[in-house]
Every structure is written in structure tokens, then in C-alpha cells.
């Protein structure tokens, strides 16, 4: 999974380093110049970080990379875009195919209302202008998993245009500074998915499964406003979260519900854009950034060596970690677009233009869909920051894991502990345990109310935080026990008996005269050693602040 | 593989012209687009399907220069280009002659003066687009579907491996002849 925030994971390469801190280094104001109004039609000039090829000396050859994306998101619907057959992943081959999906003669497309609504809702969430009239076209190409020989798409007049997608990257020393960047959305179009081909190279044949043929897709075209793999991956991750929040697509990359093609070129800043290549079928968030970064570096190397970049389609070989040219496209493809003769223009309405007496099943009201828009991830994060005073990067982390935000909110509801404490526990300890065991949030044996109870014990100073961690580990192992049960079983309560604690402190000081001497000589760290020793003797049952007070009192007496 | 005339789309346009005989409609149909019929890919899936090229219209619709095809004679170069696009073998002089005839047939649309007429998107452009509720009412008919298949493995259709570029003239053995 891509982190929703850009972090300098690609620091190993010098151009990527330039990508991260180009704002400060080159004085172009990239680091601070971004604010996102998210408004439609906002003109956005891509910041193109300057990339330095590894071979260059003293920054002579600066390269800027330009990345644009085409993203296909499968619409979450019961039935397909133009037929009434079911949409379902991993069904028996060819079981979800109607005669239309197999393009048998005499069949005609019938548009699925749900798919249109999903496209409108996605367009609104991405600040697009919704075209009240849009058109369907045929895009022709020959491939065995496209039995009609053409795909119905929206080439001339798509359903939504001119939007924007804001995503955030973290910069600064501790990644504490969150910068919002914006990528323009050229258009969103409705189109059909193709079937699936299984290549059996041994027997030199292709097996065709048409279950996916005709499933509704949203093709989201992002303008080339990005400049490295991490930016692209972060933008895709944000789009994924938005689609999931809207429910318009499940956007699960592993199941192919979100697929990305990247257009990549490099050039010297101030000069015209370079020849671009297209890297197809980036179906994993992990490989998306890597493929783009590889392709940028490959193009720089080619140009530095005096070679030319060919306008070609490439694919990413994740085993080799490099992009390779695809062989089945020779030269420029002519898709022979033509208007789809079987589908009249798609008309949408708003409340003002809604025809009187129209059948509500047959008209789509853009204003109604706008009213139904759920809270978007950016709004959710903003709310978290406002409501609980947590750090922006924590708000990203909470949304990045399926179910984590809900878990966090349920804990908050039931505990008196500070939101900051809860955030720290959920993001560090709880999430750490999940990651270590490769579990999803809903697979956790620790429920929100159990964690809330544990944090209450901590908050009431019944146990120390070290003991709380012990209890947490125990909770993970022994399902069904409450934190209080574990605390009393293991005798982990904080020592409330101050006299007893004073005796322990005294004994420890007696036993370590050297440390006491150090402390008296003014070594400030020596007291920490004594605190640690006392805690060890008390099996983490004493509050370090109380120990410190007692030790200081005894030393000064 | 033969190249056939009587393209269904052109018929649809012509039918619309007949039904709506006012001059403006005739002109708008003429502005529909330049349909260039050039043959099809059929044998592989057991039936003949027509394939169409569409030009960007003519005067006033764009800056594109007239196509090479417009002369009436189709050059060997164009034929080769079309064959590569469609993975179809035109095969003989006779087929090429038929292609030229089909183009000439469609080219008659150019005789209409369309100056200042808004292009027609579709002969159905004034109709409502019916919207279907999102219910599953089809599918689950794999046995019937596979009856139409030339070859089957388990429940899969079997196709040749990938898109194969057209072989060179001397080693030609198009898969449509297999």
C-alpha cells in the first residue's frame, strides 16, 4: 500500500532527493507555494522539481520529469454498464456474460442508471464540471477479449471535465510540514471494461473469460502535473480513498478494480516537453511509484548517452524491476473513433432544468447527487485535526488503514484518556501489533472497548504505561479477558503505598552508592538510572514521576 | 475474407434521410461523418462483421487534409496499413476493387452542400436515452454461449496467442485462414 503522504523513501537516488527538497534548494517556492482551494478551473502550474542525473557534474544537466496518469476505476454496481449481467470478482469463467457482453448479433446496449450516477458523484467529488450532455463513441481495436472489436467509451464529450484532485505530501525535517499539491483532472469518462485473457504460452493459445467484459469503468484522466513516482502514487492513493468514501468503486488494486497507466517524459526546464512513453497496467500501488521512477531514470540515462526516447508503450516487469517495451503495438494505433449509433446523447438535469412531469426513473438530477455526497477524506482529516487536536500526519495515518478510523473513534467514545494518548496508542502500539502479524483492523483480537478500558486504567494512574503495554500484549494472547482482570492477576497495579515505595527507593540507593555519588556530583542522568532500578524492583508497578519525587526528597534530606 | 458493401450504418443514415425528407436533415445526415467502409474481421468468431474508418469530415469541420483514400484509387500502401490495423488479409485484386467500390458508394455523401449546417451526432439525437435500473437479469448462460465458440477449454473461449503482427508477404499465413 502506498503511504498517503509522500515521504523520502526514494532518497537513494539523487534525482529523487531533488524531488523532495527542490523548493528550498532551487528557490522556486515549491515547498511553501502550494495551497489548495480545490476550486474548479483553478489554474495550476506544475512544479517541476529539477532532477539531476547521476552522471552530471556540478548540476550542469538538470532534468525535470513530467508524469500524467490515466486511471481506470471499476464502478461498484450490481450489473454491467450496458447489460443486466452480474458484476462479481472471481466467478466461474464466462458465467457472468449476457449475449450483449459476448456481442452476439442483434443485441443492443441499455445504459445502467447506477453507473451514470456513480460517474456524476465522482465528478462532483473531484470538483469537475458535469456536462449536461455527453456522448458515447466506439473505440476500435482488435483483441480476443473484446469480442465486439470496439469499446464503447466517451471520446468527444465525456460526462465530467476540468476537475482537480488535492493530495498531500510531507516535507521538512520530521515530515511535520504537510504540503497540499493539486493535480488537474482533464476528464472523467464512462466506458466498458474488456474481458480477461489468460495466455497459455506452452500450448500457444489464449483462454478468454468475458466475465469482466462490459463492466462499467470510470476513466479518470489526470493532467501531467506530477513529477515523480511518489507524487503519482500519493495522488492515486488519495483518489482511491475518495472513490471508497463515495462508494462509487471499491478501488481494490489487487482485484484490478483500480488500474493505472502512466505517461512519462523528461526535459530540461524551460525547454519543450520531451517525447513521452506510456507505462501500461500498473496494477499495484507498490509498483506504481517504482515503475515511474525507473522510467524517469531510464529516459534520463538514454538522453545523457545521446540516445532518443521513442514514443512507445511499455510495461513494468515487477520481477526485474524495470520497464520493457510492449511488442503487440506497432507504430501509432488508429482507434477509428466513431459515434456510437445505438446510444442517443446522455442528458443530465439540475433542479432548475428538470422537465416537469418527467419519469423520476429516467432523469438524473445533478443537484440531488450533490446533496448525497458523503464526507470526503480531506474533510474527515480536517475534522480530526480540529476535533481532537491531533497532528496532520496522524490524520493521514488514521485514514490509511481500512477500519482504523472507526476503531479510533470507538476508542475515543469510551475512554477518558486524552485524544493524543489514544492516537499514539492506536497508531503506534495497536497498528504495530497488527502490522507485525499482518492482520487487518477487523481481525484484531483487541476490540475498541477493551483498548478504551485499558487506556482508562492508564489515565486513572491505576497502572504505569509500561504495565499497560504488558497488559496489551496479554490481551492479544488471551482473548476474552478484560484489562482489569489481567492487571489484578498479574499484580500490575501501581504501588499506591507511598511508604513501601520509599522503602524500595531507600534500599536501591543503599545498594548503588556509586550512582548516588554521581548524582550528588551533578550528573543529571544518574537519577534516571536510579528510577530505572526502582521500577525494575517494583516490576513496573511504580509511577516514575512519584519515584523521582521520592528519590529527590531522599537525596536532599 | 471478402469486402462487402451495404454497410448497416450507412443504411441507417440513408433510412433516416428517407424518413425525414426536409433538406436540412439531409444535409445534417450528410455531415454525420465520413464513413469509410474497408472490410472486416469475421471468420475468427464465426461471423462477418463490418469495420469502419471515420474521417474527420470535410470543409469546415477541421484542419485535416483530405485522405489518400478519397481519390477513388486505393494504393498498395493504404491497403497494407489497413491490413495491419485490422489484421485482415485483403488477398486479391478483386477484393481491393470491391473496397474501392464501397468507398465510392459512401463518397456520394460528399455531393451534399453542408455549409453552415451543424453536424449530426446521431440519427437518434432527439431521442431519450433509456436508463435501466441496476438489477441483475442476465448471464448464467455459459453453455449456450460456448456453443458459438470454435474451440473451448473448460469454460473458456480459446483464441490465438495475443495480437500477432501481420507476417511479411513471403511468409504470409494469416490466422483467418487457419
Amino acid at each position: 500500500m502506498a503511504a498517503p503522504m509522500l515521504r523520502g523513501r526514494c532518497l537513494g537516488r539523487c534525482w529523487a532527493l531533488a524531488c523532495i527538497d527542490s523548493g528550498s534548494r532551487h528557490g522556486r517556492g515549491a515547498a511553501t507555494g502550494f495551497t489548495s482551494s480545490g476550486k474548479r478551473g483553478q489554474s495550476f502550474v506544475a512544479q517541476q522539481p529539477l532532477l539531476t542525473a547521476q552522471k552530471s557534474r556540478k548540476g550542469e544537466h538538470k532534468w525535470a520529469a513530467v508524469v500524467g496518469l490515466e486511471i481506470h476505476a471499476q464502478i461498484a454496481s450490481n450489473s454491467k454498464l450496458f447489460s443486466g449481467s452480474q458484476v462479481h470478482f472471481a466467478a466461474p469463467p464466462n458465467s457472468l456474460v449476457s449475449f450483449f457482453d459476448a456481442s452476439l448479433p442483434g443485441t443492443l446496449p441499455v445504459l445502467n442508471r447506477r453507473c451514470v450516477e456513480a460517474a456524476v458523484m465522482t465528478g462532483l467529488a473531484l470538483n469537475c464540471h458535469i456536462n449536461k450532455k455527453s456522448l458515447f463513441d466506439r473505440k476500435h481495436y482488435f483483441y480476443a477479449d473484446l469480442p465486439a472489436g470496439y469499446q464503447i467509451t466517451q471520446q468527444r464529450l465525456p460526462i465530467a471535465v476540468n476537475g482537480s484532485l488535492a493530495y498531500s505530501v510531507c516535507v521538512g525535517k520530521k515530515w511535520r510540514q504537510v504540503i497540499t499539491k493539486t493535480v488537474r483532472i482533464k476528464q472523467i469518462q464512462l466506458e466498458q471494461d474488456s474481458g480477461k485473457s489468460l495466455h497459455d504460452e506452452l500450448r500457444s493459445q489464449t483462454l478468454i473469460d468475458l466475465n469482466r467484459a462490459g463492466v462499467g469503468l470510470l476513466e479518470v484522466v489526470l493532467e501531467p502535473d506530477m513529477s515523480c513516482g511518489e507524487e503519482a502514487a500519493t495522488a492515486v492513493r488519495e483518489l482511491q480513498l475518495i472513490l471508497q468514501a463515495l462508494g462509487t468503486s471499491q478501488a481494490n488494486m489487487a482485484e484490478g478494480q483500480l488500474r493505472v497507466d502512466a505517461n512519462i517524459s523528461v526535459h530540461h526546464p524551460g525547454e519543450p516537453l520531451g517525447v513521452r512513453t506510456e507505462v501500461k497496467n500498473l496494477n499495484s500501488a507498490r509498483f506504481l511509484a517504482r515503475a515511474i521512477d525507473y522510467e524517469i531514470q531510464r529516459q534520463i540515462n538514454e538522453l545523457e548517452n545521446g540516445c532518443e526516447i521513442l514514443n512507445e508503450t511499455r510495461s513494468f516487469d515487477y520481477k526485474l524491476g524495470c520497464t520493457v517495451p510492449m511488442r503487440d503495438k506497432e507504430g501509432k494505433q488508429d482507434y477509428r473513433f466513431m459515434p456510437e449509433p445505438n446510444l442517443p446523447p446522455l442528458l443530465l438535469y439540475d433542479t432548475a432544468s428538470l422537465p416537469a412531469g418527467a419519469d423520476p426513473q429516467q432523469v438524473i438530477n445533478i443537484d440531488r447527487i450533490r446533496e448525497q455526497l458523503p464526507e470526503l477524506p480531506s474533510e474527515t482529516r480536517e475534522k480530526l485535526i480540529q476535533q481532537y487536536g491531533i497532528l496532520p500526519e496522524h490524520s493521514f495515518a488514521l485514514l490509511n488503514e481500512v477500519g482504523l478510523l472507526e476503531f479510533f473513534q470507538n476508542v475515543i467514545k469510551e475512554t477518558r484518556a486524552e485524544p493524543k494518548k489514544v492516537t499514539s496508542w492506536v497508531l503506534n502500539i495497536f497498528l504495530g501489533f497488527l502490522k507485525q502479524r499482518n492482520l487487518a483492523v477487523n481481525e484484531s483480537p483487541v476490540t475498541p472497548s477493551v483498548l478504551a478500558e485499558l487506556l482508562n486504567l492508564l489515565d486513572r494512574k491505576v497502572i504505569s504505561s509500561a504495565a499497560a503495554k504488558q497488559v496489551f500484549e496479554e490481551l492479544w494472547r488471551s482473548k476474552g479477558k478484560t484489562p482489569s482482570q489481567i492487571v489484578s492477576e498479574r499484580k500490575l497495579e501501581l504501588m499506591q503505598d507511598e511508604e513501601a515505595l520509599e522503602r524500595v527507593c531507600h534500599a536501591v540507593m543503599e545498594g548503588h552508592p556509586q550512582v548516588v555519588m554521581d548524582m550528588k556530583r551533578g550528573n543529571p542522568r544518574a537519577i534516571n538510572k536510579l528510577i530505572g532500578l526502582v521500577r525494575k524492583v517494583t516490576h513496573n508497578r511504580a509511577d516514575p514521576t512519584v519515584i523521582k519525587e521520592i528519590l529527590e526528597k531522599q537525596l536532599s534530606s | 475474407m471478402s469486402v462487402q458493401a451495404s454497410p448497416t450504418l450507412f443504411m441507417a443514415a440513408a433510412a433516416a434521410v428517407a424518413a425525414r425528407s426536409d433538406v436540412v436533415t439531409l444535409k445534417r445526415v450528410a455531415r454525420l461523418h465520413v464513413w469509410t467502409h474497408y472490410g472486416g474481421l469475421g471468420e475468427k468468431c464465426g461471423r462477418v462483421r463490418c469495420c469502419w474508418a471515420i474521417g474527420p469530415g470535410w470543409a469546415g469541420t477541421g484542419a485535416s487534409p483530405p485522405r489518400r483514400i478519397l481519390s477513388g484509387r486505393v494504393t498498395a500502401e493504404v491497403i497494407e496499413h489497413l491490413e495491419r490495423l485490422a489484421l485482415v488479409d485483403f488477398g486479391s485484386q478483386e477484393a481491393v476493387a470491391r473496397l474501392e467500390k464501397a468507398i465510392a458508394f459512401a463518397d456520394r455523401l460528399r455531393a451534399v452542400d453542408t455549409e453552415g449546417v451543424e453536424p449530426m451526432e446521431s440519427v437518434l439525437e432527439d431521442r431519450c436515452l433509456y436508463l435501466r435500473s441496476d438489477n441483475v437479469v442476465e448471464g448464467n448462460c455459459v453453455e449456450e454461449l460456448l456453443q458459438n465458440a470454435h474451440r473451448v477449454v473448460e469454460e473458456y473461449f480459446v483464441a490465438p496467442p495475443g495480437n500477432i503482427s501481420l507476417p511479411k508477404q513471403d511468409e504470409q499465413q494469416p490466422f483467418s485462414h487457419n
Side-chain angles (χ1 to χ4, degrees), chain A residues 79 84 94 142 156 336-337, chain B residues 38 54 121 134 138 155 163:
Chain A
S79 63
N94 292 308
F142 290 93
R156 292 166 298 161
R336 293 163 293 134
F337 283 103
Chain B
Y38 64 71
I54 177 171
E121 306 289 2
D134 185 21
E138 289 174 279
E155 250 103 55
N163 265 13

Side-chain angles (χ1 to χ4, degrees), chain B residues 2-165:
Chain B
S2 70
V3 179
Q4 303 187 338
S6 78
T8 50
L9 280 165
F10 184 72
M11 296 305 278
V17 175
R20 310 163 77 183
S21 57
D22 57 296
V23 176
V24 173
T25 304
L26 174 69
K27 286 180 175 177
R28 294 196 59 202
V29 171
R31 285 290 307 268
L32 199 59
H33 269 96
V34 186
W35 307 104
T36 312
H37 181 238
Y38 64 71
L41 171 72
E43 263 98 283
K44 196 174 56 154
C45 46
R47 64 204 142 92
V48 176
R49 193 182 293 116
C50 294
C51 304
W52 292 82
I54 177 171
W58 54 101
T61 51
S64 314
R67 289 199 153 195
R68 286 166 297 181
I69 287 175
L70 301 185
S71 64
R73 292 289 307 162
V74 181
T75 63
E77 183 199 352
V78 172
I79 291 286
E80 198 198 343
H81 180 63
L82 293 176
E83 284 181 328
R84 274 186 189 282
L85 285 175
L87 298 180
V88 156
D89 174 21
F90 283 99
S92 64
Q93 267 308 310
E94 195 193 348
V96 174
R98 219 176 288 139
L99 171 68
E100 287 172 348
K101 256 193 220 162
I103 294 167
F105 177 67
D107 262 356
R108 280 190 280 171
L109 280 172
R110 292 168 186 282
V112 185
D113 176 13
T114 56
E115 194 61 40
V117 180
E118 190 195 337
M120 189 182 227
E121 306 289 2
S122 152
V123 292
L124 302 172
E125 67 178 11
D126 55 350
R127 303 288 184 86
C128 283
L129 179 51
Y130 179 77
L131 296 174
R132 178 175 60 81
S133 304
D134 185 21
N135 299 323
V136 176
V137 292
E138 289 174 279
N140 224 344
C141 52
V142 61
E143 293 85 5
E144 285 160 280
L145 280 172
L146 292 178
Q147 282 175 16
N148 200 31
H150 182 59
R151 268 190 69 205
V152 167
V153 167
E154 291 168 17
E155 250 103 55
Y156 293 97
F157 294 96
V158 179
N163 265 13
I164 313 161
S165 311

Side-chain angles (χ1 to χ4, degrees), chain A residues 33 119 167 182 196 253 339 350 392 408 431 476 478 484 486 513 524 527:
Chain A
Y167 60 97
T182 309
K196 271 186 190 162
M253 289 190 103
D350 52 24
F408 169 80
L431 197 56
W476 207 273
S478 46
S484 310
I486 293 169
I527 195 160

Side-chain angles (χ1 to χ4, degrees), chain A residues 337-403:
Chain A
F337 283 103
M338 60 169 250
E340 166 56 57
N342 295 324
L343 292 165
L346 170 60
L347 301 181
L348 306 173
Y349 302 90
D350 52 24
T351 305
S353 67
L354 203 65
D359 177 358
Q361 288 304 306
Q362 290 301 315
V363 288
I364 288 176
N365 184 340
I366 301 167
D367 292 332
R368 278 289 300 280
I369 295 177
R370 188 179 281 115
E371 285 162 20
Q372 291 164 7
L373 275 178
E375 186 177 277
L376 296 176
S378 56
E379 296 165 344
T380 311
R381 290 188 201 107
E382 193 53 40
K383 261 193 181 170
L384 285 170
I385 295 167
Q386 296 294 327
Q387 201 172 341
Y388 302 122
I390 64 175
L391 293 169
E393 65 260 37
H394 290 162
S395 73
F396 278 94
L398 283 173
L399 262 73
N400 200 28
E401 216 61 47
V402 178

